[in-house]
Amino acid sequence: MTNVFDRRASATSNARSSPKLVSSHENGRMRRSQSVGYRNFAQNRFSKLVRKLSVITFSPAVLSHRGSFLNLPFYDTHALSPNIFATYSGPEGGLTNAPCDPTNESALNTRKTDWDIHHRRAYGTAVSLYERNPKERCRTGSPVADVFAIQATENGAILALADGVGWGPKSRLAAQCAVRGCTEYLQAQLFGTCPPKNTHEVFKLLRTSLDHGQRLILISESTLTTICIAVVVQLQRCDQYVVCVVNVGDSLAYVYSHKHGVREITTGCRDLQHDRDLRECGGALGPAVGEEADLDNLTFSFTMSEQDDVVFLTSDGIADNFDPAIALTARICDFKFKKPKDSLPLIQTAERHPLSINSMTKLLEKSAEYEPGEDTAMQVCEVFIQYVVKLTNDYRDNLESYHKAVNNNDLTNEQREKLQALRKETIYNLPGKLDHASIVALTVGHWKHKEGAVVNGQEMEVYPP
């Protein structure tokens, strides 16, 4: 009786000269092995196809997770180009006069000019919203304790912003150390010989960068600071980008899109459904608990972005002033920090955040009507700073009048008490929150070499190093 394999062999004698005979038991085992191998192959191909399709299908969704990035999306990413077109930090020199870690060789090699180049697509600015004190001849809360930095390449960027907790040189020093420690570690890794290949590796670098910022704060013996760091990288096999963010405290990250408006990336770092104490930042780097940082609200966040979107980071001096409860555009029950008019609409606490985002979107859309095609990073920064300065004008003017009046040596104690009561009424009845306000922004997309950068207000060409 002819074996089935003999018949198959004779039918394919041109292809196989001597077929191998196997038992039925071996035949079944071989078929099962082939079936398992094919199934594994199909699953791998399917998972790759799903990943590829998920990259191609853009989503404006924001994903955040407290304490871990492992549940956030895993996408393959391009390495950042070494061709840098902007490295800018501020205010008042930013990182140019910040201390460096003596154990970090890359920090020791950083030159002052490394942070002097900005561009309309990569920009940042900061301002003090506090009143001037005529007696001290400076603004209350000086110096500005916020520090920002941005390093932008052809296909991505590093953005960082820190808000020193409290006032004074120690607070500013903490912010400088946090930004410098974090950014210099990221620079060494992202532009090194083994750059990250996917979003999870980017998040791992972001988390480790916090340790470098913390170490530099302790070395400098400064105080506490919030921190928000974002890395913008291009995805493999498409023209889309992802924004990977880590933040501690109340410094926040956003994206402005022509199609979708403004969306906050860092929503997971706080409870948006309930009222919060504006005086508490939620977490901070620095010696918060002994020599340990307060990472209670350490949050990893992720979103996708498209060409010409604007990614921006802000301190609470900007973010809080869009809150309808602070801007006095609405009433919230039992809100402790303002006394709005009864004629204003009553809203729930959970509505404050979406209304804040809506106000940001309307402001940027309105500015685009007057400056068509100019909604670059620089334009976004300028519009937001102008908004918070204008909102707090009356508040600031009233406090400056108070300082002038209270410095009169002829005042009686009763008159001084009346002035102090008037000052409290000013705080509760006028819109806005006085603070240090800072913002740093990037226009997403592939940078073209013909575009100029700006150094000390002068347009110039920047070439790859």
Side-chain angles (χ1 to χ4, degrees), residues 271-278 319-320 322-326 330-337 347-359:
D271 182 1
L272 299 175
Q273 302 301 312
H274 300 90
D275 195 12
R276 67 184 181 90
D277 190 340
L278 297 176
D320 285 349
F322 282 93
D323 187 332
I326 299 296
R331 291 183 295 130
I332 292 92
C333 290
D334 301 326
F335 186 65
K336 304 175 183 178
F337 299 97
I347 63 171
Q348 301 299 317
T349 300
E351 298 178 82
R352 291 167 60 183
H353 183 260
L355 287 174
S356 300
I357 298 298
N358 188 48
S359 295

Side-chain angles (χ1 to χ4, degrees), residues 8 23 29 46 64 69 183 191 214 254 263 325 410 440:
R8 185 180 299 173
S23 67
R29 185 172 58 185
F46 179 74
S64 291
F69 56 82
T183 55
F191 302 112
Q214 172 73 3
Y254 302 83
R263 63 185 185 275
D410 297 331
V440 60

Side-chain angles (χ1 to χ4, degrees), residues 79-82 184-196 205:
L80 285 184
S81 167
E184 286 182 341
Y185 172 78
L186 290 172
Q187 287 171 343
Q189 301 302 315
L190 292 172
F191 302 112
T193 56
C194 188
L205 294 180

Side-chain angles (χ1 to χ4, degrees), residues 124-196:
T125 188
V127 67
S128 174
L129 301 178
Y130 290 108
E131 75 280 5
R132 288 188 178 277
N133 189 324
K135 186 176 181 180
E136 299 177 1
R137 296 183 178 180
C138 65
R139 291 194 181 275
T140 301
S142 294
V144 174
D146 295 357
V147 175
F148 64 82
I150 181 169
Q151 184 169 52
T153 76
E154 287 180 324
N155 63 343
I158 304 168
L159 299 89
L161 187 146
D163 178 0
V165 177
W167 293 346
K170 287 282 188 179
S171 295
R172 175 175 169 79
L173 181 59
Q176 287 178 304
C177 291
V179 172
R180 181 156 198 167
C182 293
T183 55
E184 286 182 341
Y185 172 78
L186 290 172
Q187 287 171 343
Q189 301 302 315
L190 292 172
F191 302 112
T193 56
C194 188

